[in-house]
Amino acid sequence: MNFYAIRAIYLFEMARTWRTLSQSIAAPVMSTALYFVVFGSAIGSRMGDIGGVSYGAFIIPGLVMLSLLSQSISNASFGIYMPKFSGTIYEVLSAPVSYLEVVIGYVGAATTKSLLLGLLTLLTATFFVDFHVEHPVWMIGFLLLTSITFSLFGFIIGIWADDFQKLQVIPLMVVTPLTFLGGTFYAIDMLPPIWQKITLFNPVVYLISGFRWSFYGVADVSVALSLGMIGLFLALCLGAVWWIFKTGYKLRN
Amino acid sequence: MLQCPLESNTAPKPLNWPESMPSNPIISVKNLNKRYAGGFQALKSVDLDIHEGEIFALLGPNGAGKTTLISIICGIANPSDGTVIADGHDILKDYRSARSKIGLVPQELTTDAFESVWATVTFSRGLFGKPPNPDYIEKILKDLSLWDKRDNKIMSLSGGMKRRLMIAKALSHEPKILFLDEPTAGVDVELRKDMWEMVRGLRENGVTIILTTHYIEEAEDMADRIGVIRQGELILVEEKNELMSQLGQKQLNIQLQVPLDTLPKSLEDESLSLEQEGNTLVYRYNSQTESSGIATLLRRLDEHGIEFKDLHSRESSLEDIFIELVKSST
Ligand SMILES: Nc1ncnc2c1ncn2[C@@H]1O[C@H](COP(=O)(O)OP(=O)(O)OP(=O)(O)O)[C@@H](O)[C@H]1O
Ligand SMILES: [Mg+2]
């Protein structure tokens, strides 16, 4: 293992985070805070409880997931897309590093940033809404697993994209709709029966359900299924990354 | 163009230069082919050995395949076919060992923008698996006149400074082999001299250097050996001095006191010609033959009463030879 290389990439990426603090951390935390204000405090006060949880508290796990997903993806995809775009990737390609080390460096940094963001968002939520966390260890576990998985997914998008538009299209056209329809704002049994079935094809449902369970002990689907789905997606992403590096896809011509 | 009065300009060899070449090349390229995705063949069965400790200049017109060859050896592009061994390690099977020995200054100026000079050089060292060594990085930054700029953001550097920064990055992990792909493009005269001075210093410390340049006179000054590549084919690899003496010609320009319309019949010879409206008599001779025939020529001019006011000799430069080579093999 080339630990110095992993550390170099990790620190380089983290330096980028600190440099762009307002954009990478403050902005997402702030926009999530706006959701808390509007849906949690303002509208939430007129909504009934869901499964014994106040509406304001009910939406918190989903909102955290929402920003975690989009930030993990955009962070990791940008992190690898930029060197490709500017050409500085030559250095990584010519360095004595294995694919695994490159991924650990880039995805590790993106994950760290997402975790930080998730925790900060939760901290912010405490100012607006009363909520508690029943299974804190599981909560951190879900946070971590989701950050890793979607940072990997972002990494793949960053490698696949050869222009800025492609970089944006998946997060905007696929991930955002899926997260909004993933049960952030409602419990699945509130949907018409047919949509209750269809929605099970949305992977984000499992993420949010599991994450919400770690807060309030109630879930739309079983926790084991949630974990299984995250695990499956993680495995898919790992497989894709392995294939990308094995073939040099879009990296080495 | 080199002008020197009646003497050859063989550069002295460095002290540590072995007379017989070591049998184990530091880089060995065998039957290397490269077809790009579009089907274009950029390298055609290239075979090349680089000797340890030499400065090797790879010359060729735009699009000849120089950068492609370097990119493959350094791991940036995949070969379509063939093998490359660097310092005893296969660049594909044993890429870790091979790449850790190699430093690359690419042709394009590709740097980050917001990082500091110090941070980016430190990053490079780490990336190549070396433990931090601030003293060493301080030394290279000083050698490359970048020490004052160490805390500046890269984007605030001039083009020439960026080029030097890329050299600093390439040297940060103390490579045994250094590739310089047009290192002097956009660097001013004085700094260029400093840069070559540094390259010589590196060579004295045992670093093998492979460079490309379109300033042929730089290759003439610096290189021990020359390789010429044209349309993906390595058409020649030769010691520079050999090349210069084999393919080079000398000419003696004799400035006449009185211009001549024609040469006297007895002086007519294919090696003699009148140029500049009869003001200059040009004598072309092979630099390899034992006697140049100059003494005889001057005596015969005297016999014919042809007086001259000045004479100087000139050798064909590497540039002349290069242009001839690239043209003739079309
Ligand atoms: N990524 C690529 N895809 C397709 N063709 C390429 C690619 N890179 C280079 N080529 C082609 O390969 C040939 C060799 O290019 P290369 O960059 O190696 O030339 P070079 O000798 O370095 O030229 P220069 O002196 O201009 O730098 C060129 O015809 C170029 O168009
Ligand atoms: Mg080139």
Side-chain angles (χ1 to χ4, degrees), chain A residues 33-165:
Chain A
L34 289 176
Y35 277 108
F36 294 146
V37 174
V38 175
F39 290 98
S41 316
I43 299 179
S45 58
R46 317 219 166 175
M47 306 270 286
D49 290 1
I50 301 179
V53 181
S54 80
Y55 188 72
F58 178 85
I59 61 171
I60 286 176
L63 285 176
V64 171
M65 275 290 161
L66 204 81
S67 93
L68 207 63
L69 252 59
S70 67
Q71 287 304 311
S72 296
I73 292 175
S74 75
N75 242 320
S77 62
F78 206 73
I80 187 71
Y81 177 78
M82 274 320 285
K84 252 182 21 157
F85 178 72
S86 70
T88 53
I89 190 86
Y90 86 86
E91 205 177 7
V92 175
L93 294 179
S94 67
V97 291
S98 71
Y99 304 139
L100 186 64
E101 289 150 7
V102 175
V103 171
I104 295 177
Y106 277 105
V107 173
T111 302
T112 309
K113 196 161 153 183
S114 295
L115 264 185
L116 225 80
L117 187 76
L119 293 175
L120 262 173
T121 313
L122 276 178
L123 192 71
T124 317
T126 58
F127 295 110
F128 301 99
V129 189
D130 260 343
F131 70 99
H132 62 280
V133 182
E134 221 156 86
H135 311 286
V137 177
W138 279 105
M139 192 273 279
I140 299 286
F142 271 108
L143 217 54
L144 187 64
L145 218 62
T146 310
S147 300
I148 294 176
T149 306
F150 282 83
S151 296
L152 263 176
F153 187 52
F155 186 83
I156 295 167
I157 293 177
I159 285 187
W160 164 76
D162 28 34
D163 54 43
F164 277 97
Q165 195 183 326

Side-chain angles (χ1 to χ4, degrees), chain B residues 30-275:
Chain B
K30 292 237 155 59
N31 187 32
L32 189 66
N33 284 282
K34 176 63 183 177
R35 277 172 298 277
Y36 278 110
F40 178 78
Q41 184 149 13
L43 291 178
K44 297 165 190 161
S45 306
V46 171
D47 288 298
L48 174 65
D49 280 352
I50 305 286
H51 305 144
E52 181 152 15
E54 74 173 336
I55 297 183
F56 186 90
L58 191 59
L59 306 180
N62 286 138
K66 304 180 292 295
T67 301
T68 302
L69 178 59
I70 291 175
S71 300
I72 292 174
I73 299 175
C74 295
I76 293 167
N78 285 327
S80 307
D81 203 1
T83 55
V84 180
I85 308 289
D87 200 28
H89 307 285
D90 185 294
I91 55 150
L92 295 180
K93 293 192 196 86
D94 199 2
Y95 67 91
R96 239 189 239 281
S97 310
R99 289 186 203 159
S100 61
K101 305 287 166 35
I102 299 177
L104 164 67
V105 180
Q107 180 174 4
E108 305 289 334
L109 273 178
T110 45
T111 54
D112 297 301
F114 304 103
E115 292 279 298
S116 75
V117 167
W118 179 268
T120 195
V121 180
T122 307
F123 168 79
S124 300
R125 186 176 168 89
L127 192 62
F128 277 76
K130 284 278 162 83
N133 185 348
D135 293 343
Y136 178 71
I137 291 181
E138 177 174 342
K139 184 184 171 309
I140 27 184
L141 288 184
K142 282 183 173 158
D143 285 351
L144 286 158
S145 333
L146 285 170
W147 182 241
D148 297 343
K149 301 278 178 187
R150 63 189 177 280
D151 295 323
N152 288 39
K153 283 185 179 173
I154 299 173
M155 62 182 181
S156 72
L157 301 183
S158 75
M161 291 173 191
K162 281 186 190 143
R163 180 76 65 188
R164 279 178 281 143
L165 176 61
M166 302 200 60
I167 298 178
K169 280 165 77 74
L171 291 176
S172 67
H173 63 283
E174 302 160 63
K176 269 181 87 169
I177 306 165
L178 180 65
F179 283 90
L180 299 165
D181 200 350
E182 293 187 32
T184 49
V187 177
D188 72 38
V189 187
E190 199 175 336
L191 284 170
R192 219 189 287 173
K193 268 169 71 186
D194 292 352
M195 195 182 280
W196 289 129
E197 214 38 65
M198 198 197 68
V199 168
R200 282 203 181 90
L202 285 170
R203 199 262 296 267
E204 249 135 62
N205 289 327
V207 178
T208 306
I209 290 144
I210 299 98
L211 60 93
T212 76
T213 177
H214 289 293
Y215 302 111
I216 311 289
E217 63 285 17
E218 289 182 345
E220 184 175 331
D221 276 1
M222 297 292 301
D224 300 308
R225 289 198 309 150
I226 307 274
V228 178
I229 188 168
R230 207 188 121 267
Q231 293 182 8
E233 280 175 282
L234 199 59
I235 56 176
L236 171 142
V237 176
E238 187 62 89
E239 286 215 28
K240 180 191 66 191
N241 294 333
E242 275 298 291
L243 181 67
M244 304 276 298
S245 64
Q246 272 177 18
L247 297 180
Q249 272 201 334
K250 282 194 171 183
Q251 70 181 55
L252 180 70
N253 291 355
I254 303 167
Q255 226 90 53
L256 300 179
Q257 200 72 265
V258 186
L260 284 179
D261 288 337
T262 50
L263 278 173
K265 268 262 169 327
S266 62
L267 275 178
E268 267 178 16
D269 184 339
E270 57 186 19
S271 57
L272 273 180
S273 58
L274 275 171
E275 287 175 15

Side-chain angles (χ1 to χ4, degrees), chain A residues 166-204:
Chain A
K166 277 191 176 170
L167 199 61
Q168 307 282 3
V169 70
I170 302 253
L172 277 178
M173 304 298 281
V174 181
V175 178
T176 308
L178 287 182
T179 41
F180 270 89
L181 300 175
T184 300
F185 299 104
Y186 51 81
I188 287 179
D189 55 18
M190 293 160 73
L191 294 172
I194 174 80
W195 282 101
Q196 291 188 26
K197 293 269 182 311
I198 292 174
T199 204
L200 292 179
F201 287 98
N202 179 354
V204 181

